[in-house]
Amino acid sequence: MNYRLMTIDYKLWTINLILHRKFKKMSVHKKFKRITTHALQAMKARGERISMLTAYDYSMAKILDAGGVDVLLVGDSASNVMAGHETTLPITLNEMIYHASSVVRAVERALVVVDLPFGCYQGNSREALASTIRIMKESGAHAVKMEGGKEIQESVERVLSAGVPVMGHLGLMPQSIYKFGTYTVRAKEEVEAEQLIEDTKLLQEIGCFAIVLEKIPAELGKQVSEMLDIPTIGIGGGQHTDGQVLVTHDMLGITKDFHPRFLRRYAELFDVVKDAVERYTADVKNRDFPNDKEQY
Ligand code: KIV
């Protein structure tokens, strides 16, 4: 064989190998790049919106993570959409840990935040820390979320002092539904709006990494988001918050009878699944399933 051709061939092979190694490294790096609280802060700084959805189980969390959502919230809305309770109050710490650990096992990229359930932190900061430590140790989650402002300051501070990132939650707080008496928009009046602004400042000051703003006027969402350095995540908080969150079962149309103004449905999965079940049932009844090729 011609020596010059052999040398060119060898050079091309070497370049190929180097490029292959470089790109393989890059794609692996990209695949496993995890979202951290610092990444969310950087997103706010460069004006990139943050996407957050709820997740309660392994299979759905895998799909949501593959879809590129930045934050998965193991919300206590599991009490409603997974367990069928009317409110978020009945869900227990053990149940939240079960949901959270299923989600954590599925996720490669998203930040996993877990709601501290009702009764595990209000009025008792030691219990807040003990509940948080159980969540972090037993589920492997990355952060917790708590509803409230000044009234839960001690709990938030104690959890933060253990090195666990805390996401705040203000506006409509479903764990306080019996105090509010209704799920309507919060902070429409000046006094409540002022209190909310003070609470957001306090949560930022003591070290929360982000705050959920639920069902408040868009103008207030804008004011707070512009005022704070940490990201705000809205659910019915208008278009100016730094990110948005929806309950996955609502946005996928798995739940049917919930139509708040802030909800955009991206699929009608109730109908899709019902149709599949109807066709399967008909095939079984008609002895059409399984056929010759679907058996051993
Ligand atoms: O539990 C939940 O799903 C939540 C969201 C509504 C923010 O707290």
Side-chain angles (χ1 to χ4, degrees), residues 54 56 73 75-77 115 145 147 169 212 214 235 245 247:
T54 60
Y56 320 105
L73 171 67
D76 57 0
S77 50
D115 263 335
K145 175 163 84 60
E147 294 179 8
H169 184 150
V212 166
E214 181 163 354
I235 173 163
V245 56
V247 170

Side-chain angles (χ1 to χ4, degrees), residues 4-247:
R4 257 190 82 215
L5 276 180
M6 264 181 75
T7 319
I8 292 171
D9 215 35
Y10 177 74
K11 276 187 184 156
L12 282 174
W13 180 82
T14 315
I15 291 169
N16 233 328
L17 187 73
I18 291 168
L19 283 176
H20 176 76
R21 283 195 179 146
K22 187 170 173 206
F23 282 113
K24 198 169 160 218
K25 219 171 162 184
M26 272 174 69
S27 61
V28 167
H29 179 68
K30 192 164 174 246
K31 191 170 169 214
F32 290 105
K33 194 159 182 267
R34 300 205 76 116
I35 299 292
T36 60
T37 56
H38 300 276
L40 300 182
Q41 185 67 61
M43 283 184 200
K44 168 151 184 160
R46 63 174 179 266
E48 179 183 337
R49 291 293 197 237
I50 297 163
S51 74
M52 174 161 134
L53 283 170
T54 60
Y56 320 105
D57 71 279
Y58 176 85
S59 303
M60 184 64 87
K62 243 195 155 29
I63 302 173
L64 302 176
D65 194 50
V69 71
D70 298 314
V71 184
L72 283 180
L73 171 67
V74 184
D76 57 0
S77 50
S79 180
N80 310 110
V81 295
M82 299 301 283
H85 292 297
E86 205 180 314
T87 71
T88 58
L89 276 65
I91 200 158
T92 65
L93 182 59
N94 282 345
E95 287 165 344
M96 289 302 292
I97 291 171
Y98 166 76
H99 288 300
S101 56
S102 308
V103 169
V104 168
R105 279 192 288 275
V107 164
E108 289 184 357
R109 178 180 174 275
L111 182 84
V112 180
V113 181
V114 182
D115 263 335
L116 276 186
F118 174 69
C120 287
Y121 62 99
Q122 293 96 341
N124 188 338
S125 64
R126 285 181 196 282
E127 196 175 344
L129 181 57
S131 308
T132 300
I133 286 176
R134 279 203 59 205
I135 288 175
M136 302 301 281
K137 269 187 186 290
E138 295 175 38
S139 77
H142 312 130
V144 295
K145 175 163 84 60
M146 292 185 232
E147 294 179 8
K150 180 137 190 55
E151 69 280 15
I152 60 157
Q153 177 175 355
E154 197 182 308
S155 290
V156 175
E157 282 176 332
R158 197 177 281 270
V159 169
L160 286 166
S161 75
V164 178
V166 176
M167 179 181 271
H169 184 150
L170 294 166
L172 178 66
M173 295 175 279
Q175 292 182 8
S176 304
I177 186 59
Y178 293 118
K179 181 175 117 189
F180 295 140
T182 136
Y183 285 101
T184 52
V185 182
R186 304 304 316 173
K188 283 202 293 196
E189 308 304 330
E190 206 178 318
V191 179
E192 197 180 332
E194 284 304 323
Q195 183 59 53
L196 184 138
I197 291 169
E198 286 312 306
D199 281 338
T200 60
K201 281 190 203 156
L202 174 79
L203 292 178
Q204 167 168 287
E205 205 177 290
I206 62 180
C208 285
F209 72 92
I211 303 176
V212 166
L213 297 174
E214 181 163 354
K215 253 189 157 180
I216 59 167
E219 199 43 48
L220 182 59
K222 180 172 190 276
Q223 188 186 343
V224 169
S225 304
E226 285 172 358
M227 178 189 74
L228 295 181
D229 295 324
I230 58 171
T232 56
I233 315 278
I235 173 163
Q239 57 192 211
H240 297 285
T241 52
D242 303 302
Q244 297 292 331
V245 56
L246 286 175
V247 170

